[in-house]
Amino acid sequence: MIKIIIIDDEPLARMVISQYLQQHNDVEIVAECGDGFEGAKMIQQMRPDLIFLDIQMPKLTGFEMLEILDEMPNVIFTTAFDEFAIKAFEKNAIDYLLKPINKDRFEQALTKFRNNHHSNTPRETSAKVEAAREDETLERIVVKNGSQIKIIPVQQVIFLEAYDDYVKIHTKDGMFLKNKTMSSFEKQLDPKQFVRVHRSFIAKVDQLAKIEPMEKESYIATLLTGEKINISKSGYARLKQIIGL
């Protein structure tokens, strides 16, 4: 049996997908979820073969939910907005269905999944899933803090620090780890607010209190919190352009 989870905040949308699936005797709907938080929990518990995932949901979007999973499941996206199509396929989605979902189009998507289905092979780790495209400005960061999911508005970020395969996100509420690259954050954060000042640091401009020269054309910045971060020669040049030094 193909284990399926439906994740959509609209009961009618879940019902339509459920009715379409009931016509197939080799599938089992193991869960229906009304939001991304519940969806992430059920995916970890049930380990489905396929999920039908809405994109625009309150609290946690479909893309943000995928970002906190340990493994990327097989996904067929469902949404009323066609502008997400490119982004969906960047996530290696099986297919992308526009609401209201046409039955023939639904069957095509399910057939595509069957043709590509390898239940024992994880498709992609969450480390490769980004919540925003490079041409979009990141407004919040979703992290997994133990068994809890925390949403951090970028306004609360003080600075970011490289940490092996992770990034340390320093905020007023503490430090959080995110399995993502510094380059991704550099491309997605507002360049007027955040500057890559060093290969290991991205500074939030309004958190800088003082910049002092160090040896070999490098600098050190003191933040409003009292913390200090390194600034390279090239990072200092980028920073000067932003703050007008």
Side-chain angles (χ1 to χ4, degrees):
M1 297 290 285
I2 299 171
K3 296 191 297 183
I4 293 176
I5 292 179
I6 304 169
I7 306 169
D8 198 307
D9 64 305
E10 300 175 9
L12 179 60
R14 296 198 302 271
M15 184 183 72
V16 169
I17 295 172
S18 177
Q19 288 177 345
Y20 287 165
L21 289 171
Q22 286 172 9
Q23 299 176 32
H24 297 266
N25 57 16
D26 63 338
V27 305
E28 178 187 7
I29 301 172
V30 295
E32 293 189 24
C33 307
D35 61 64
F37 290 101
E38 183 185 3
K41 179 180 177 181
M42 294 309 299
I43 289 170
Q44 301 287 51
Q45 289 182 5
M46 305 302 296
R47 299 183 66 83
D49 300 303
L50 173 67
I51 66 172
F52 286 87
L53 179 63
D54 188 20
I55 295 175
Q56 288 290 80
M57 295 185 289
K59 299 181 182 179
L60 198 68
T61 70
F63 292 134
E64 289 172 335
M65 188 209 74
L66 292 177
E67 196 175 351
I68 60 174
L69 298 178
D70 295 328
E71 292 181 355
M72 178 71 169
N74 292 292
V75 182
I76 294 177
F77 284 105
T78 61
T79 181
F81 305 96
D82 59 3
E83 69 258 31
F84 294 113
I86 294 175
K87 188 172 171 183
F89 286 112
E90 286 177 347
K91 305 291 181 284
N92 288 338
I94 296 294
D95 212 334
Y96 177 94
L97 299 176
L98 277 175
K99 299 176 182 177
I101 299 172
N102 175 273
K103 188 176 187 302
D104 290 339
R105 185 68 185 82
F106 179 90
E107 294 298 328
Q108 290 175 14
L110 196 58
T111 297
K112 189 182 295 185
F113 163 74
R114 294 180 194 277
N115 293 339
N116 292 279
H117 178 45
H118 300 286
S119 59
N120 295 321
T121 305
R123 299 183 64 242
E124 187 177 8
T125 63
S126 61
K128 298 178 182 178
V129 181
E130 309 295 350
R133 293 173 59 195
E134 292 179 7
D135 59 354
E136 295 175 348
T137 301
L138 197 62
E139 296 181 353
R140 61 187 194 174
I141 303 169
V142 180
V143 297
K144 199 171 182 182
N145 186 22
S147 61
Q148 301 296 315
I149 298 170
K150 181 174 178 61
I151 298 175
I152 305 170
V154 295
Q155 291 83 358
Q156 295 180 8
V157 175
I158 299 172
F159 70 99
L160 289 82
E161 178 183 5
Y163 184 70
D164 292 331
D165 293 332
Y166 292 81
V167 172
K168 288 182 178 180
I169 302 166
H170 296 263
T171 76
K172 298 172 183 177
D173 295 330
M175 185 274 293
F176 302 91
L177 284 175
K178 179 74 174 178
N179 193 346
K180 189 170 181 175
T181 65
M182 289 287 280
S183 295
S184 294
F185 275 117
E186 182 182 8
K187 293 171 183 175
Q188 295 170 4
L189 290 166
D190 184 350
K192 295 180 181 178
Q193 298 184 54
F194 293 89
V195 179
R196 182 80 175 267
V197 296
H198 189 274
R199 61 183 178 85
S200 297
F201 295 102
I202 294 177
K204 191 163 188 283
V205 174
D206 64 9
Q207 293 297 311
L208 296 171
K210 182 170 58 175
I211 300 174
E212 299 174 287
M214 296 288 285
E215 58 184 19
K216 296 181 180 179
E217 297 185 301
S218 62
Y219 302 81
I220 189 164
T222 302
L223 306 179
L224 294 177
T225 58
E227 296 167 288
K228 297 181 184 294
I229 61 174
N230 295 325
I231 299 180
S232 65
K233 179 182 177 182
S234 60
Y236 184 67
R238 285 192 292 269
L239 191 59
K240 284 201 302 182
Q241 289 182 336
I242 299 299
I243 62 179
L245 287 177

